[in-house]
Amino acid sequence: MKNALALLVLLLLSAPSVADDTLRLVGLFDDKAAVIINGQQTIINTHNLKRGLRLISSTQDSAEIEINGTIQPFQLGSSSIVASYQKPQRLTVQINQNAQGMYQASGKVNGQITEFLVDTGASVVAMNEYDAEHFGLSTTGIKVKAQTAGGTVQGYQTILKTISIGQIQLNNIKAVVLPGAHPNRPLLGMSFLQHLKVNQQQRRLLLESMF
């Protein structure tokens, strides 16, 4: 990891500025990539679009990057003309507080419709085993301990291919499956919310994509 970060810093320091409509891949580490586009450095990842870009896959010296819906291969340090690049508009979802003072929102997990309860106190998205089966998930896997209102329980870690609320969709989100029927609806925790701008205004919660 240290070597990867050192390589990233070296490439960023040595990379020349690039012309408009040119994307340059300058660093790779974990599930992220550093690129320079239109002369500006940005970090993209596999979870969500950022400025119309998303990392699809990567090796030690190459990556596939989605650019406004088109997947293009890049070698580390290489540049490519991306004349079709346009900065997309930010996507915003407004959730109104219900009578119980909670924020509940309709959405989808792996394409299946569900009702979420927004929970900024939950470190990850969490759901009961029956919801997991409905979403086509395995209810067994890597064991984890989860702290609930009823105490500590043993759950299973999983990865959700997609979570969507309104027009906002994120991919490859960590989640925990808990035994039994609780929580009674999926909790939209920080493994999803950390990729968005979250702003509470009176009785409204605004979720905004970060491009």
Side-chain angles (χ1 to χ4, degrees):
M1 180 66 181
K2 290 183 178 179
N3 291 337
L5 288 174
L7 175 62
L8 171 63
V9 172
L10 177 61
L11 285 169
L12 288 176
L13 291 175
S14 61
S17 59
V18 295
D20 288 348
D21 300 326
T22 298
L23 186 148
R24 180 179 174 87
L25 177 64
V26 296
L28 290 167
F29 54 101
D30 293 340
D31 59 349
K32 299 179 180 65
V35 300
I36 293 178
I37 188 165
N38 294 349
Q40 295 183 347
Q41 175 203 325
T42 189
I43 303 295
I44 61 175
N45 58 44
T46 58
H47 299 295
N48 61 319
L49 286 167
K50 184 176 183 181
R51 298 179 63 194
L53 308 174
R54 174 164 49 210
L55 177 65
I56 299 299
S57 63
S58 64
T59 65
Q60 290 184 341
D61 57 5
S62 66
E64 288 187 328
I65 298 174
E66 178 184 344
I67 305 170
N68 285 349
T70 301
I71 298 176
Q72 191 168 335
F74 287 84
Q75 292 293 317
L76 189 61
S78 69
S79 300
S80 181
I81 301 297
V82 287
S84 61
Y85 171 79
Q86 295 179 349
K87 185 176 179 179
Q89 294 181 341
R90 294 182 185 272
L91 303 176
T92 302
V93 173
Q94 176 180 303
I95 305 172
N96 295 322
Q97 195 177 70
N98 63 19
Q100 290 73 42
M102 299 179 179
Y103 294 100
Q104 188 174 326
S106 298
K108 294 181 180 180
V109 173
N110 294 349
Q112 300 296 317
I113 296 175
T114 190
E115 288 287 325
F116 291 106
L117 183 64
V118 179
D119 187 352
T120 57
S123 59
V124 297
V125 174
M127 67 192 68
N128 65 50
E129 59 182 304
Y130 305 110
D131 283 331
E133 290 177 356
H134 174 66
F135 301 144
L137 302 172
S138 172
T139 55
T140 61
I142 300 175
K143 296 179 180 180
V144 294
K145 290 184 178 181
Q147 188 67 39
T148 69
T152 302
V153 299
Q154 179 176 283
Y156 297 93
Q157 181 177 299
T158 189
I159 298 293
L160 306 178
K161 291 182 180 179
T162 61
I163 293 183
S164 58
I165 294 183
Q167 291 184 303
I168 297 176
Q169 176 176 304
L170 302 183
N171 303 325
N172 303 321
I173 299 298
K174 290 182 180 179
V176 170
V177 177
L178 301 177
H182 296 284
N184 59 6
R185 60 177 56 88
L187 302 180
L188 200 61
M190 293 307 297
S191 59
F192 177 86
L193 297 173
Q194 68 181 342
H195 302 293
L196 306 173
K197 288 185 177 179
V198 181
N199 185 23
Q200 185 173 2
Q201 298 179 355
Q202 297 180 341
R203 294 174 59 86
R204 297 179 302 164
L205 192 69
L206 298 179
L207 305 180
E208 185 179 10
S209 61
M210 296 191 297
F211 292 126

